[in-house]
Amino acid sequence: MAELNERQKAMQAQLKRFVAAMRQLSDEAQELMEKKDYVSAKPIFERIIESFHGGEEYGTTPMEALAYERQRAKQDPHQDLLLLGVAFNASNCLGLIHKSENDYAAAETMYTSALDLISNDGAAPSRSGLWYNMYIQCEMNLLGVYWAQENWNMAAPLFRRSMIREAENDHDISGARKWKSASNAELIEIMKKNPDMYNDHAVHQIKRASLSESEHKCSAMGCPTTGQLSDFKRCARCKSALYCSKTCQTKDWKAGHKAICDSQVPAM
């Protein structure tokens, strides 16, 4: 048991050193991104990504330590989240850089990788908070790649999902149903007829996702209650809708949330 504890402590210490190194690199690259110095930022982000895949400099040991931490019921979840954030940011920023170089295939790979990181970790489903904001921004970036290439077949599912999200945020039950039932051909026709629609749509989606903790609103139609996320209870099924009271939840369920909720809960 003592030997196991010593090994555990060593792995935790190694993980912390790895996270600290990755965060330092990420901060350096982020400063360059803010200065629009993509040429200098690109190799730093690439170095981060290589490290997560067992690059020679850091080896596989840090990731083994991370896997061990998760296996041990995430004894140090703070480090785990920091590591996830660094990996996501590097993938998303590389997507932006590749897109600026018109390398759409590479941009698509990076954006998809970033989205998978959050989706697979279970951090994105809730309709608020930093992870949700990051997820929406990245998803809109990926939609922009498909839109720029006029790759409508790949853009259609993302466009549908974003329009459903828009309608649900506005408590527009009929609008959400309309977008859910629209065929890919109908969605593609809309996108083709409105080539400039993406920019305004993406900006609006990102703004909606960026609501501060003090700007959350009860999901029940007509309820004016706003407050911090901790003031609300989530729908236990879809985990998306927020309610200030049991009365509002019951009212919204009868008003149409049942149809939306059922569609968001994956079939077993």
Side-chain angles (χ1 to χ4, degrees), residues 121-134:
D121 198 79
S126 64
R127 292 285 176 116
S128 58
L130 177 61
W131 290 116
Y132 181 66
N133 181 20
M134 291 164 62

PDB file of all heavy atoms in Angstrom, residues 121-134:
ATOM      1  N   ASP A 121     -15.585  14.247 -23.058  1.00  0.00           N
ATOM      2  CA  ASP A 121     -15.353  14.428 -21.629  1.00  0.00           C
ATOM      3  C   ASP A 121     -16.637  14.762 -20.881  1.00  0.00           C
ATOM      4  O   ASP A 121     -16.665  14.820 -19.668  1.00  0.00           O
ATOM      5  CB  ASP A 121     -14.326  15.546 -21.404  1.00  0.00           C
ATOM      6  CG  ASP A 121     -13.723  15.480 -20.008  1.00  0.00           C
ATOM      7  OD1 ASP A 121     -12.829  14.659 -19.792  1.00  0.00           O
ATOM      8  OD2 ASP A 121     -14.182  16.240 -19.146  1.00  0.00           O
ATOM      9  N   GLY A 122     -17.721  15.016 -21.657  1.00  0.00           N
ATOM     10  CA  GLY A 122     -18.999  15.322 -21.029  1.00  0.00           C
ATOM     11  C   GLY A 122     -19.101  16.730 -20.488  1.00  0.00           C
ATOM     12  O   GLY A 122     -19.954  17.043 -19.662  1.00  0.00           O
ATOM     13  N   ALA A 123     -18.245  17.629 -20.956  1.00  0.00           N
ATOM     14  CA  ALA A 123     -18.223  18.990 -20.402  1.00  0.00           C
ATOM     15  C   ALA A 123     -19.174  19.934 -21.118  1.00  0.00           C
ATOM     16  O   ALA A 123     -19.468  21.009 -20.616  1.00  0.00           O
ATOM     17  CB  ALA A 123     -16.809  19.548 -20.476  1.00  0.00           C
ATOM     18  N   ALA A 124     -19.667  19.585 -22.307  1.00  0.00           N
ATOM     19  CA  ALA A 124     -20.400  20.553 -23.117  1.00  0.00           C
ATOM     20  C   ALA A 124     -21.922  20.519 -23.063  1.00  0.00           C
ATOM     21  O   ALA A 124     -22.547  21.486 -23.436  1.00  0.00           O
ATOM     22  CB  ALA A 124     -19.987  20.404 -24.584  1.00  0.00           C
ATOM     23  N   PRO A 125     -22.580  19.440 -22.632  1.00  0.00           N
ATOM     24  CA  PRO A 125     -24.033  19.381 -22.795  1.00  0.00           C
ATOM     25  C   PRO A 125     -24.819  20.493 -22.133  1.00  0.00           C
ATOM     26  O   PRO A 125     -25.863  20.892 -22.632  1.00  0.00           O
ATOM     27  CB  PRO A 125     -24.387  18.031 -22.165  1.00  0.00           C
ATOM     28  CG  PRO A 125     -23.157  17.225 -22.300  1.00  0.00           C
ATOM     29  CD  PRO A 125     -22.037  18.217 -22.106  1.00  0.00           C
ATOM     30  N   SER A 126     -24.370  21.015 -20.971  1.00  0.00           N
ATOM     31  CA  SER A 126     -25.143  22.051 -20.296  1.00  0.00           C
ATOM     32  C   SER A 126     -25.191  23.318 -21.134  1.00  0.00           C
ATOM     33  O   SER A 126     -24.289  23.607 -21.908  1.00  0.00           O
ATOM     34  CB  SER A 126     -24.527  22.361 -18.929  1.00  0.00           C
ATOM     35  OG  SER A 126     -23.246  22.897 -19.074  1.00  0.00           O
ATOM     36  N   ARG A 127     -26.266  24.084 -20.957  1.00  0.00           N
ATOM     37  CA  ARG A 127     -26.487  25.257 -21.788  1.00  0.00           C
ATOM     38  C   ARG A 127     -25.882  26.526 -21.205  1.00  0.00           C
ATOM     39  O   ARG A 127     -26.388  27.618 -21.455  1.00  0.00           O
ATOM     40  CB  ARG A 127     -28.006  25.454 -21.961  1.00  0.00           C
ATOM     41  CG  ARG A 127     -28.657  24.361 -22.794  1.00  0.00           C
ATOM     42  CD  ARG A 127     -28.304  24.595 -24.256  1.00  0.00           C
ATOM     43  NE  ARG A 127     -28.823  23.521 -25.065  1.00  0.00           N
ATOM     44  CZ  ARG A 127     -29.753  23.681 -25.990  1.00  0.00           C
ATOM     45  NH1 ARG A 127     -30.271  24.854 -26.218  1.00  0.00           N
ATOM     46  NH2 ARG A 127     -30.161  22.673 -26.711  1.00  0.00           N
ATOM     47  N   SER A 128     -24.851  26.413 -20.439  1.00  0.00           N
ATOM     48  CA  SER A 128     -24.244  27.609 -19.860  1.00  0.00           C
ATOM     49  C   SER A 128     -22.815  27.305 -19.450  1.00  0.00           C
ATOM     50  O   SER A 128     -22.365  26.173 -19.499  1.00  0.00           O
ATOM     51  CB  SER A 128     -25.047  28.069 -18.630  1.00  0.00           C
ATOM     52  OG  SER A 128     -25.093  27.036 -17.676  1.00  0.00           O
ATOM     53  N   GLY A 129     -22.109  28.343 -19.025  1.00  0.00           N
ATOM     54  CA  GLY A 129     -20.770  28.153 -18.504  1.00  0.00           C
ATOM     55  C   GLY A 129     -19.695  28.219 -19.578  1.00  0.00           C
ATOM     56  O   GLY A 129     -19.963  28.282 -20.771  1.00  0.00           O
ATOM     57  N   LEU A 130     -18.458  28.194 -19.104  1.00  0.00           N
ATOM     58  CA  LEU A 130     -17.306  28.367 -19.985  1.00  0.00           C
ATOM     59  C   LEU A 130     -17.217  27.276 -21.044  1.00  0.00           C
ATOM     60  O   LEU A 130     -16.969  27.551 -22.215  1.00  0.00           O
ATOM     61  CB  LEU A 130     -16.028  28.379 -19.143  1.00  0.00           C
ATOM     62  CG  LEU A 130     -14.709  28.482 -19.918  1.00  0.00           C
ATOM     63  CD1 LEU A 130     -14.655  29.779 -20.716  1.00  0.00           C
ATOM     64  CD2 LEU A 130     -13.529  28.390 -18.963  1.00  0.00           C
ATOM     65  N   TRP A 131     -17.403  26.013 -20.649  1.00  0.00           N
ATOM     66  CA  TRP A 131     -17.275  24.924 -21.616  1.00  0.00           C
ATOM     67  C   TRP A 131     -18.290  25.049 -22.739  1.00  0.00           C
ATOM     68  O   TRP A 131     -17.972  24.813 -23.905  1.00  0.00           O
ATOM     69  CB  TRP A 131     -17.428  23.570 -20.917  1.00  0.00           C
ATOM     70  CG  TRP A 131     -16.284  23.218 -20.030  1.00  0.00           C
ATOM     71  CD1 TRP A 131     -16.305  23.044 -18.679  1.00  0.00           C
ATOM     72  CD2 TRP A 131     -14.919  23.012 -20.421  1.00  0.00           C
ATOM     73  NE1 TRP A 131     -15.045  22.751 -18.212  1.00  0.00           N
ATOM     74  CE2 TRP A 131     -14.183  22.717 -19.258  1.00  0.00           C
ATOM     75  CE3 TRP A 131     -14.256  23.048 -21.649  1.00  0.00           C
ATOM     76  CZ2 TRP A 131     -12.816  22.461 -19.277  1.00  0.00           C
ATOM     77  CZ3 TRP A 131     -12.895  22.793 -21.675  1.00  0.00           C
ATOM     78  CH2 TRP A 131     -12.191  22.505 -20.499  1.00  0.00           C
ATOM     79  N   TYR A 132     -19.515  25.409 -22.388  1.00  0.00           N
ATOM     80  CA  TYR A 132     -20.543  25.559 -23.415  1.00  0.00           C
ATOM     81  C   TYR A 132     -20.182  26.699 -24.365  1.00  0.00           C
ATOM     82  O   TYR A 132     -20.305  26.586 -25.586  1.00  0.00           O
ATOM     83  CB  TYR A 132     -21.895  25.827 -22.756  1.00  0.00           C
ATOM     84  CG  TYR A 132     -23.032  25.978 -23.734  1.00  0.00           C
ATOM     85  CD1 TYR A 132     -23.436  24.895 -24.518  1.00  0.00           C
ATOM     86  CD2 TYR A 132     -23.698  27.189 -23.877  1.00  0.00           C
ATOM     87  CE1 TYR A 132     -24.481  25.027 -25.416  1.00  0.00           C
ATOM     88  CE2 TYR A 132     -24.744  27.317 -24.775  1.00  0.00           C
ATOM     89  CZ  TYR A 132     -25.135  26.237 -25.537  1.00  0.00           C
ATOM     90  OH  TYR A 132     -26.165  26.373 -26.424  1.00  0.00           O
ATOM     91  N   ASN A 133     -19.706  27.797 -23.815  1.00  0.00           N
ATOM     92  CA  ASN A 133     -19.293  28.937 -24.624  1.00  0.00           C
ATOM     93  C   ASN A 133     -18.183  28.531 -25.603  1.00  0.00           C
ATOM     94  O   ASN A 133     -18.226  28.848 -26.798  1.00  0.00           O
ATOM     95  CB  ASN A 133     -18.802  30.064 -23.694  1.00  0.00           C
ATOM     96  CG  ASN A 133     -18.378  31.306 -24.455  1.00  0.00           C
ATOM     97  OD1 ASN A 133     -18.767  31.502 -25.605  1.00  0.00           O
ATOM     98  ND2 ASN A 133     -17.575  32.131 -23.823  1.00  0.00           N
ATOM     99  N   MET A 134     -17.182  27.803 -25.101  1.00  0.00           N
ATOM    100  CA  MET A 134     -16.079  27.351 -25.944  1.00  0.00           C
ATOM    101  C   MET A 134     -16.579  26.403 -27.032  1.00  0.00           C
ATOM    102  O   MET A 134     -16.145  26.473 -28.189  1.00  0.00           O
ATOM    103  CB  MET A 134     -15.024  26.651 -25.079  1.00  0.00           C
ATOM    104  CG  MET A 134     -14.272  27.578 -24.140  1.00  0.00           C
ATOM    105  SD  MET A 134     -13.378  26.699 -22.831  1.00  0.00           S
ATOM    106  CE  MET A 134     -12.223  25.728 -23.784  1.00  0.00           C
TER     107      MET A 134
END
